Amino acid sequence: MIYLRSTLFALFLLIFTPIWSVLCMLAFPFLTPENRYSFIGLWNKVVIWLLWHLCGIHYEIRGMEHMRAVLDQPVVILSKHQSAYETIAYIALLPKQLCFVFKRELLWIPFFGWALALLKMIHINRANKQTAALSVASQGRKRLSEGKWIMLFPEGTRTPRGSTKPYRKGGARLASATGALVIPIAHNAGNFWPKNSFLKRPGTVIFSIGPAIISEGKSGEELQQEVEGWIESEMRVIDPSAYK
């Protein structure tokens, strides 16, 4: 049954994504950047809905009050990265327009990447660390000044359940340099949609949103260590069996 549902989900994406991407490219010249984000976000909402009702992947959000309390302030979100699920879910579920920092290769994906290129995101060349850092710093400042929240995955790539990669400091340094708050997010999406997995396993993804961390007076390194400590500690709360 899991294989059948995962196959139906894949077929849906194969058909729906090109159609929606073409609609976006046709509509975007007539939409403001904010309305473009909302328009393309309908794709995310449909996919999350289908994962819930077809594949049985539900979600639970803990700590949303921490975001609602700072909606009018500049924020850098630093999240655990285990799955494709959270990259889709954040646009659908979080209460603020997000500006993702992502590798430029995603823009080369047919249809999906073409629509993504029409949004004001920060795409970087990960092969050149110096250029990537400058892009995050310069574009991040601009997007924060426009009222958007910056979303980064400090591990840089998806990690298997129960593991971690060294956290990169770019997001923390951006927050430290701009005085933005940092909101950490832990989640266990890798249990149900692991990296490079075709099968989507039923269950409940828990998103745990931490209290906003003040960046003022802290170096990027200090801030990064504080964020990493919170996320990795919280991972052992929401997914304890993965760390036995």
Side-chain angles (χ1 to χ4, degrees):
M1 185 61 72
I2 290 176
Y3 186 85
L4 175 60
R5 291 179 176 180
S6 299
T7 299
L8 291 174
F9 175 75
L11 289 173
F12 174 82
L13 283 189
L14 188 64
I15 297 170
F16 179 60
T17 301
I19 293 173
W20 193 253
S21 298
V22 170
L23 287 175
C24 287
M25 287 184 278
L26 291 174
F28 276 16
F30 308 100
L31 300 176
T32 65
E34 290 71 23
N35 288 337
R36 288 180 181 183
Y37 182 89
S38 299
F39 191 91
I40 204 169
L42 294 173
W43 179 90
N44 300 68
K45 292 179 180 180
V46 169
V47 172
I48 292 300
W49 183 90
L50 191 68
L51 284 166
W52 181 300
H53 294 281
L54 176 62
C55 300
I57 300 181
H58 302 171
Y59 63 84
E60 173 188 343
I61 302 176
R62 302 175 183 176
M64 181 61 82
E65 67 274 10
H66 299 311
M67 286 192 167
R68 294 197 180 105
V70 296
L71 285 176
D72 60 343
Q73 299 185 53
V75 169
V76 175
I77 300 174
L78 299 179
S79 169
K80 188 72 176 175
H81 197 18
Q82 290 187 338
S83 170
Y85 183 88
E86 67 268 15
T87 63
I88 298 171
Y90 286 149
I91 290 179
L93 303 178
L94 297 189
K96 191 81 171 183
Q97 184 169 343
L98 303 177
C99 176
F100 280 79
V101 177
F102 60 85
K103 59 184 180 182
R104 64 179 183 177
E105 287 81 1
L106 292 181
L107 300 176
W108 305 340
I109 300 174
F111 298 105
F112 175 84
W114 304 341
L116 190 62
L118 298 173
L119 298 176
K120 286 187 175 182
M121 301 292 181
I122 302 174
H123 43 89
I124 60 174
N125 178 7
R126 292 200 308 190
N128 189 325
K129 293 183 179 180
Q130 184 176 3
T131 302
L134 290 173
S135 294
V136 171
S138 61
Q139 294 184 59
R141 283 178 179 272
K142 184 176 182 180
R143 299 296 173 248
L144 286 170
S145 70
E146 294 170 348
K148 300 177 178 64
W149 285 0
I150 309 299
M151 166 68 72
L152 297 99
F153 300 103
E155 291 170 292
T157 188
R158 289 170 291 174
T159 58
R161 177 176 178 247
S163 67
T164 185
K165 290 182 180 292
Y167 279 42
R168 301 179 181 183
K169 301 179 179 66
R173 286 174 176 165
L174 173 63
S176 177
T178 58
L181 298 170
V182 175
I183 292 184
I185 304 180
H187 65 82
N188 63 342
N191 288 0
F192 314 106
W193 186 351
K195 179 180 179 180
N196 298 328
S197 173
F198 175 77
L199 296 179
K200 314 298 183 290
R201 302 186 182 280
T204 300
V205 176
I206 297 174
F207 291 103
S208 182
I209 302 171
I213 299 173
I214 296 174
S215 63
E216 186 177 357
K218 299 174 184 175
S219 68
E221 289 75 12
E222 291 171 333
L223 196 56
Q224 177 266 325
Q225 290 175 5
E226 188 173 351
V227 170
E228 182 176 355
W230 189 91
I231 291 177
E232 294 304 320
S233 295
E234 187 66 10
M235 289 301 301
R236 286 155 176 80
V237 174
I238 63 177
D239 193 9
S241 62
Y243 295 91
K244 288 183 178 178

